[in-house]
Amino acid sequence: MSGWALVAAGGAVGAALRYAVDRGLRLWHDGPFPWGTLLVNLLGSLTLGALTGALWAGAAGERLGLLLGTGLCGALTTWSTFSYETLRLAETGRWPAATGNVLASVGGGVAAAWAGHALAVSWWG
Amino acid sequence: MTADGRGHRDVEPEPIDPDLPPEPGPGRAPVRPRAEALTLAAVAAGGALGALARYGAALRWPTRPGAFPWTTVGVNVLGCLLIGVLLVVLTEAVTARPLLRPFLGTGVLGGFTTLSTYAVDVETLWREGRAAAGFALLGATAMLAMLAVTLGAWGTRRALRPMLARGGARPGAGRRS
């Protein structure tokens, strides 16, 4: 498989997973706060952090990076949906939720990436 | 995706398809297996295209190791601008085909933009001791992304105002995501 095919395959699965998680969470508990997008963004950042650590340690190759990193984690996580949902929270007067969503996604994402990387390095490094 | 169907201001229900029976519970869309499968396929196809576009941008404008990841910033900000435009058009202006939003919004733009790469880039800059660059990436992306989605949504609303005033809006379309 070429790099393009790996990225496309990972991207298709990542986007579908993001939709399924959001849909599933909303069937279980619906509300104004976009928990599904926050969850996939944190999970994807954790996974990409771990993958980056695995690549660094030589436990994963470039092709796995394209499939799982650029493709799957890239498409599982999103800025566009996250930013639009935050705008909608703000436009409907939910400023604490909007601010909390940005802080949790951005701060939590970086913390998850760090945790994933640290776990992978301690495992394979 | 409907983050605020029962929001503080938006109480007008949106008639998705008047021929369908009412939804079974408060705020719960009915689960229809065939429609769900079609939507999932549209999201997956869009996600593949979005990821390919992001990969293409990374190959066309590569970020050297240790350099500031401008390409990822650009991809994310562009995606936020476009989703602001797209979702205002689809939710407030036109009666969209049912698969258009999952394909273009959730799929293409969702797959194009990425938070994981951004988070890992920030974390890497910090780990390499480049704290200022890490904070700059962290803050600049967040501010530019929110600015872009706001400009996209508000600019589109403004541009569409004459059309909406002429009654071009679908009945009952409120300011709802």
Side-chain angles (χ1 to χ4, degrees):
Chain A
M1 267 174 115
S2 75
W4 293 93
L6 291 167
V7 169
V13 174
L17 260 178
R18 171 162 41 79
Y19 174 77
V21 167
D22 188 74
R23 189 87 174 86
L25 272 183
R26 285 193 184 286
L27 286 173
W28 173 61
H29 171 77
D30 203 0
F33 194 84
W35 290 109
T37 307
L38 176 60
L39 180 66
V40 292
N41 274 339
L42 296 184
L43 277 179
S45 299
L46 181 81
T47 309
L48 189 64
L51 185 67
T52 308
L55 285 165
W56 174 83
E62 191 193 343
R63 294 167 66 76
L64 198 64
L66 288 176
L67 178 71
L68 296 184
T70 311
L72 193 134
C73 289
L76 176 67
T77 61
T78 172
W79 258 101
S80 51
T81 302
F82 156 53
S83 70
Y84 189 78
E85 286 167 344
T86 304
L87 176 68
R88 295 298 302 142
L89 287 171
E91 282 184 337
T92 52
R94 299 181 178 90
W95 283 97
T99 311
N101 193 35
V102 172
L103 293 179
S105 304
V106 167
V110 175
W114 172 81
H117 187 272
L119 280 172
V121 167
S122 72
W123 187 262
W124 286 294
Chain B
M1 299 301 124
T2 52
D4 43 4
R6 292 138 310 285
H8 296 168
R9 293 179 197 159
D10 305 327
V11 289
E12 184 84 5
E14 184 176 327
I16 294 162
D17 184 345
D19 296 323
L20 291 173
E23 296 183 356
R28 303 205 174 182
V31 178
R32 290 171 295 158
R34 188 170 170 275
E36 291 287 341
L38 270 176
T39 307
L40 200 63
V43 169
L49 290 177
L52 284 175
R54 176 164 39 78
Y55 180 51
L59 291 179
R60 174 69 184 75
W61 298 284
T63 300
R64 283 173 292 103
F68 194 82
W70 286 111
T71 306
T72 308
V73 175
V75 161
N76 283 333
V77 172
L78 177 64
C80 290
L81 180 78
L82 293 178
I83 205 155
V85 174
L86 176 79
L87 291 188
V88 165
V89 169
L90 291 188
T91 58
E92 298 174 26
V94 299
T95 309
R97 307 288 305 163
L99 291 178
L100 209 52
R101 179 173 175 171
F103 176 69
L104 288 179
T106 314
V108 174
L109 292 179
F112 182 57
T113 60
T114 173
L115 192 125
S116 51
T117 307
Y118 156 81
V120 165
D121 284 348
V122 170
E123 196 270 331
T124 304
L125 285 170
W126 281 347
R127 191 156 29 78
E128 289 171 349
R130 301 181 58 203
F135 276 111
L137 177 63
L138 183 86
T141 302
M143 274 188 284
L144 290 174
M146 286 314 302
L147 189 69
V149 72
T150 308
L151 281 178
W154 291 6
T156 305
R157 224 171 253 153
R158 195 182 171 86
L160 291 174
R161 200 179 289 154
M163 188 190 122
L164 297 172
R166 282 200 309 272
R170 66 178 178 201
R175 292 177 55 182
R176 151 177 178 161
S177 70

